[in-house]
Amino acid sequence: MENIESKLREEAKRLLLEKRADIIVGYEKGTLPLTATPCFVSTEAEADKLVYNELCTQNLAKYVHDLITAHKNSQKRVKPEDRKKKVIGVVARGCTTRSLIIHLQERQYERDEVYIIGVPCEGYVDKKNLAKALDSAEIIDGNLDGLQLKIKTAAGDKTIAVSDVIAPNCAVCRFNNPIISDIMVGTPAPVKNPATEYDKISEFEKKDIAERWDYFTKEMEKCIRCNACRQACPSCYCPTCFAEQSQPQWVGIGEDKSDTQVFQCMRLFHMVGRCVDCGSCISVCPMGVDLRNYLKKIDKDCWELFGTRAGSSMEEMPPLGKFSEQDKEDFIYNP
Amino acid sequence: MEKRLIKKNTLTGIAGKMADEFKVWAPVKQEENVIFSPLEKNEQPFFAYLNSKNAPKQIFFPHTETLMKYTSTPKGMVFAAEENKADKTVLFGVRPCDAHSFALLDMLFDQEKYKDQYYINKRNNTTVITLACVEPPYATCFCTSVDGEPVDDKGADILITDIGDNYLVEFVTPKGEKLANYFGETKADAAAETKKKEIAEKAKQAIKSKIPAHEIKPILDVNFENPIWATIHGKCLACGTCTWMCPTCHCFDISDEVKGNDGVRIRSWDSCMFPLFTKETSGHNPRTSQKERWRQRVMHKFKYYVDNFNAIACVGCGRCVMSCPVNLDIRKVVEDIAKIK
Ligand code: SF4
Ligand code: SF4
Ligand code: SF4
Ligand code: SF4
């Protein structure tokens, strides 16, 4: 991918200088080799730490929602006439803009409260795929040279093509360029391989119930209920998650297997028409739980039954927000 | 105390033999993760590991633990204490940093003011066998900054060190010595001990990641309201992964789970990173944002624990550094705090 970092920094400085954004959410270099991490830029000098490359993993829309919510809460006790608006700038690739669209459609904030700096995306490096390619050898040092990763590991040096280790969601991404933006930095990247996006799910669907249940229970047994998946997800923004409600208590907080399964099922079902396949929940999961298998199934059903894809257009109503007499419903009675 | 030499291919066999007499927790490979788990019959431990994904603290302080049970009957509540039984256990192959964490947890759960029988029972019934790090497993290891060493017997009952041709087995406590018969007959000679000292020194030098952990204590003492606290937490997801993975984090919640007439009171892990952790019944939350929560995490590890027990509540294992999904690196936080004038 072309190096757009200098353009990105310039743009960020301009936005801050012209007071078009109060703070910009972007990525900076991480403290571990071959990582990038979310960062917040509110002065021109800070803008020089912005980076954008294939190591940028997290969907930053989550932070947009957090910052605006925190600001609104802080304004609650301010007289209406004295209330200030805060504009959040955000470095956004395709999936990030889809999440922003979901927020906007769900009336979380107004369009003019967010300034979208669109960036193209070639897919990000998946930690698990990278570890596999390196036989789990520890990465001592590394740098990104064009679309090649030059890596020094505990077991010797290695060069790996980014395309060989991108995240599974990125490999089949249909929306890798921003859907909405206020400015675009860089030229749109070629679309990946969306025709194959449901291949693995279709395979899984063919398995019999026992086999599917075994896989589900095996994956859920890995879960340690840290909630990182929920916390990283831009669509999981409820002020109090059902998992933490106590009156009534929907799920126990202990290690009971069925509590974990119920927690996961409920979170998954809250993602109908709201999961943009950004992979953030998967990349943050410390235990490597295969959440995508289920999220992608929900996405597939949503597409096949209602013909919509989460956050794919500003104009199209989200599936849970519209009703048509032609909506399929027989599956409710004959699953 | 006694020292012996064993052949390098005997470790798995010894663990297997112990499994006849004890419940043996050892590192095992589960897909891409290495975790501590009780060995099943004929299950192979995985001793070629770097360190386990999760900290072994769960052996003494499980994620979920039943404290007591109760039943509502027409004649009133009937309470039953949980049996609180602990099997005779061997924890085989923890790293020195994790063994160090047990020494730190003992200060809290087994102190004059308070004795936690649930923890103490399991602790007393467990023999800890440490497998020294002759090569520091990760570039993120910083045990030497927090009073640890890669070859160290703190918190261990037996210390095993790879000295090249053989393993040197040192019995550190009488509890460890009781298992001596599992480790053959060969007494270690002076040469083996010299070799171990050399290896220990080399391993210590190999730790490159250093943090000013002791140096920040006086700074923390007087900087509860410093503006720096507003600059740390921004990207934190409040996921608590850092505290879940941490061998020394020990905060817990107590709750009741009731089904019909039967209830159990359970203790489960909690985390200072969760907003709910300090939320009061009234709805008020004294720690209003992640800023206060991150301050608590730093203060607890590098100030309060030092005030209370004269020890830093971090063993430098680097798990939080490697597992934080957004790379919020505690080493950098400590370094930045050290720069406060
Ligand atoms: S559920 Fe996961 S993949 Fe879907 S939007 Fe949320 S974080 Fe992204
Ligand atoms: S991030 Fe992973 S381990 Fe944590 S709650 Fe989600 S699925 Fe479970
Ligand atoms: S704070 Fe981090 S490095 Fe220190 S003991 Fe806990 S997990 Fe390990
Ligand atoms: S692991 Fe990282 S993101 Fe999660 S609570 Fe800890 S510091 Fe925050």
Side-chain angles (χ1 to χ4, degrees):
Chain A
M1 187 171 68
E2 59 173 320
N3 193 322
I4 58 168
E5 262 158 37
S6 54
K7 269 195 246 167
L8 185 64
R9 291 174 192 173
E10 258 170 57
E11 191 54 40
K13 285 180 196 171
R14 190 181 64 79
L15 284 177
L16 292 168
L17 188 70
E18 293 175 5
K19 302 222 180 309
R20 301 175 61 153
D22 297 288
I23 190 164
I24 291 163
V25 192
Y27 304 94
E28 69 178 325
K29 195 172 178 317
T31 61
L32 298 176
L34 290 181
T35 58
T37 173
C39 76
F40 305 89
V41 172
S42 45
T43 64
E44 283 174 68
E46 281 174 342
D48 282 325
K49 68 182 179 190
L50 286 175
V51 302
Y52 183 70
N53 55 38
E54 285 72 18
L55 304 171
C56 299
T57 320
Q58 289 310 106
N59 183 334
L60 300 179
K62 174 223 156 40
Y63 294 108
V64 174
H65 194 285
D66 282 3
L67 287 167
I68 296 182
T69 309
H71 175 68
K72 287 199 170 144
N73 286 339
S74 75
Q75 296 279 301
K76 270 190 189 150
R77 292 177 179 218
V78 177
K79 276 192 252 140
E81 59 271 28
D82 294 338
R83 284 192 191 148
K84 286 198 199 76
K85 202 166 75 191
K86 188 168 180 174
V87 181
I88 314 293
V90 58
V91 177
R93 53 179 172 227
C95 52
T96 314
T97 61
R98 291 175 74 188
S99 292
L100 296 171
I101 289 175
I102 291 177
H103 289 166
L104 291 165
Q105 288 182 329
E106 293 177 354
R107 298 259 191 278
Q108 292 302 302
Y109 41 80
E110 297 300 323
R111 179 66 182 84
D112 59 359
E113 286 176 281
V114 49
Y115 191 97
I116 304 169
I117 309 170
V119 286
C121 180
E122 299 262 8
Y124 60 78
V125 172
D126 176 67
K127 257 189 287 172
K128 257 188 279 165
N129 278 347
L130 184 57
K132 228 179 275 159
L134 296 172
D135 275 334
S136 297
E138 197 204 2
I139 302 172
I140 310 285
D141 202 359
N143 66 299
L144 190 63
D145 184 358
L147 284 175
Q148 301 282 321
L149 295 159
K150 301 260 161 73
I151 307 170
K152 196 174 139 210
T153 77
D157 294 352
K158 227 169 170 178
T159 302
I160 291 173
V162 167
S163 55
D164 289 342
V165 287
I166 61 170
N169 49 312
C170 300
V172 297
C173 182
R174 189 181 293 275
F175 304 100
N176 53 335
N177 293 298
I179 295 170
I180 53 171
S181 65
D182 292 298
I183 183 167
M184 178 75 193
V185 177
T187 42
V191 174
K192 294 285 164 186
N193 204 2
T196 59
E197 72 176 322
Y198 298 129
D199 286 6
K200 270 186 74 186
I201 302 304
S202 306
E203 279 305 303
F204 192 75
E205 281 169 346
K206 284 185 209 135
K207 298 187 182 191
D208 62 39
I209 286 190
E211 231 179 311
R212 279 181 279 148
W213 178 247
D214 284 349
Y215 186 75
F216 179 73
T217 45
K218 168 178 91 75
E219 286 304 308
M220 293 310 138
E221 260 169 50
K222 291 190 215 162
C223 173
I224 57 172
R225 292 284 293 281
C226 69
N227 296 335
C229 48
R230 178 192 77 192
Q231 294 301 113
C233 176
S235 288
C236 276
Y237 58 66
C238 293
T240 307
C241 176
F242 68 84
E244 272 141 21
Q245 279 171 0
S246 54
Q247 286 180 332
Q249 187 183 37
W250 303 103
V251 277
I253 58 170
E255 259 179 338
D256 191 311
K257 281 181 197 174
S258 60
D259 279 328
T260 306
Q261 292 165 357
V262 168
F263 162 68
Q264 293 285 0
C265 284
M266 276 171 79
R267 194 184 94 82
L268 289 167
F269 280 112
H270 287 186
M271 288 302 133
V272 178
R274 304 180 67 239
C275 170
V276 301
D277 204 10
C278 64
S280 287
C281 55
I282 293 132
S283 84
V284 299
C285 173
M287 304 317 283
V289 178
D290 183 3
L291 301 170
R292 186 163 183 266
N293 193 39
Y294 306 97
L295 289 163
K296 210 56 195 160
K297 163 71 176 156
I298 284 170
D299 170 44
K300 179 171 179 272
D301 284 354
C302 200
W303 171 248
E304 287 172 356
L305 294 168
F306 303 105
T308 60
R309 290 197 162 103
S312 58
S313 113
M314 210 35 215
E315 290 72 38
E316 195 182 346
M317 285 288 283
L320 293 180
K322 68 174 179 196
F323 171 74
S324 135
E325 280 180 9
Q326 275 74 52
D327 275 354
K328 295 228 174 43
E329 52 185 22
D330 53 339
F331 68 92
I332 297 171
Y333 306 104
N334 302 305
Chain B
M1 239 170 253
E2 258 218 71
K3 298 178 186 196
R4 292 196 191 162
L5 289 176
I6 53 166
K7 292 254 166 328
K8 284 183 63 172
N9 54 10
T10 53
L11 223 45
T12 306
I14 294 173
K17 229 192 268 154
M18 284 182 177
D20 293 337
E21 195 184 338
F22 300 94
K23 183 170 183 179
V24 177
W25 286 75
V28 294
K29 213 164 173 188
Q30 275 189 6
E31 298 191 7
E32 58 265 42
N33 297 330
V34 175
I35 61 165
F36 272 94
S37 143
L39 289 183
E40 310 265 337
K41 259 236 137 2
N42 298 326
E43 191 180 34
Q44 290 278 322
F46 181 68
F47 287 126
Y49 76 123
L50 298 170
N51 201 355
S52 60
K53 180 92 192 171
N54 57 346
K57 69 177 170 190
Q58 93 228 40
I59 294 155
F60 306 126
F61 172 49
H63 175 281
T64 308
E65 180 161 40
T66 305
L67 302 180
M68 66 158 194
K69 297 178 172 169
Y70 50 87
T71 310
S72 161
T73 68
K75 289 192 186 127
M77 279 291 188
V78 178
F79 296 96
E82 180 65 359
E83 254 175 70
N84 190 19
K85 68 170 193 323
D87 303 323
K88 275 170 74 195
T89 304
V90 170
L91 175 49
F92 205 123
V94 281
R95 294 300 180 198
C97 54
D98 290 338
H100 181 190
S101 79
F102 304 147
L104 294 171
L105 292 174
D106 289 348
M107 295 173 185
L108 178 98
F109 286 118
D110 187 3
Q111 55 171 303
E112 232 170 79
K113 278 191 279 183
Y114 172 69
K115 299 224 174 283
D116 189 293
Q117 281 314 325
Y118 301 93
Y119 175 91
I120 294 172
N121 266 5
K122 292 193 237 342
R123 188 78 173 94
N124 286 346
N125 275 312
T126 304
T127 309
V128 175
I129 305 180
T130 298
L131 206 53
C133 299
V134 294
E135 273 172 40
Y138 306 103
T140 44
C141 295
F142 60 97
C143 52
T144 54
S145 301
V146 283
D147 308 315
E149 277 182 38
V151 180
D152 191 16
D153 61 14
K154 249 187 248 100
D157 297 307
I158 299 174
L159 174 67
I160 301 182
T161 313
D162 181 347
I163 55 165
D165 305 331
N166 293 302
Y167 281 120
L168 173 66
V169 182
E170 296 170 87
F171 302 97
V172 186
T173 63
K175 203 204 260 175
E177 209 159 40
K178 282 204 193 118
L179 299 189
N181 55 338
Y182 282 99
F183 293 92
E185 303 283 322
T186 320
K187 298 247 183 320
D189 49 5
E193 283 184 53
T194 322
K195 189 83 198 283
K196 181 213 152 189
K197 284 211 182 89
E198 277 167 29
I199 286 172
E201 189 52 34
K202 221 174 111 206
K204 202 168 140 189
Q205 298 308 328
I207 299 275
K208 291 286 178 314
S209 180
K210 301 227 158 75
I211 65 163
H214 286 279
E215 290 80 341
I216 65 166
K217 168 70 170 71
I219 301 177
L220 294 175
D221 284 341
V222 295
N223 277 296
F224 192 77
E225 297 292 355
N226 193 285
I228 193 162
W229 300 115
T231 65
I232 296 169
H233 67 283
K235 61 182 172 181
C236 177
L237 301 172
C239 67
T241 302
C242 47
T243 59
W244 250 223
M245 297 292 158
C246 178
T248 68
C249 280
H250 52 258
C251 290
F252 57 79
D253 186 21
I254 293 179
S255 56
D256 283 10
E257 293 196 338
V258 184
K259 276 187 197 115
N261 290 329
D262 299 312
V264 287
R265 177 152 300 170
I266 57 167
R267 155 160 94 183
S268 50
W269 291 356
D270 205 343
S271 166
C272 58
M273 294 286 107
F274 297 157
L276 213 61
F277 184 58
T278 46
K279 193 159 176 189
E280 297 166 3
T281 320
S282 65
H284 172 67
N285 196 337
R287 291 188 199 137
T288 43
S289 73
Q290 209 59 19
K291 170 184 142 185
E292 291 80 12
R293 293 171 204 131
W294 245 97
R295 175 173 62 196
Q296 167 64 20
R297 177 163 160 77
V298 175
M299 287 283 186
H300 195 181
K301 292 201 176 294
F302 300 99
K303 171 175 158 51
Y304 305 148
Y305 222 74
V306 184
D307 286 340
N308 290 339
F309 306 115
N310 198 21
I312 292 176
C314 165
V315 294
C317 68
R319 282 192 183 87
C320 60
V321 178
M322 289 183 280
S323 303
C324 174
V326 292
N327 182 229
L328 212 173
D329 189 331
I330 199 162
R331 296 173 304 166
K332 179 156 187 307
V333 173
V334 170
E335 273 163 29
D336 289 348
I337 291 170
K339 288 185 208 137
I340 297 179
K341 289 278 165 350

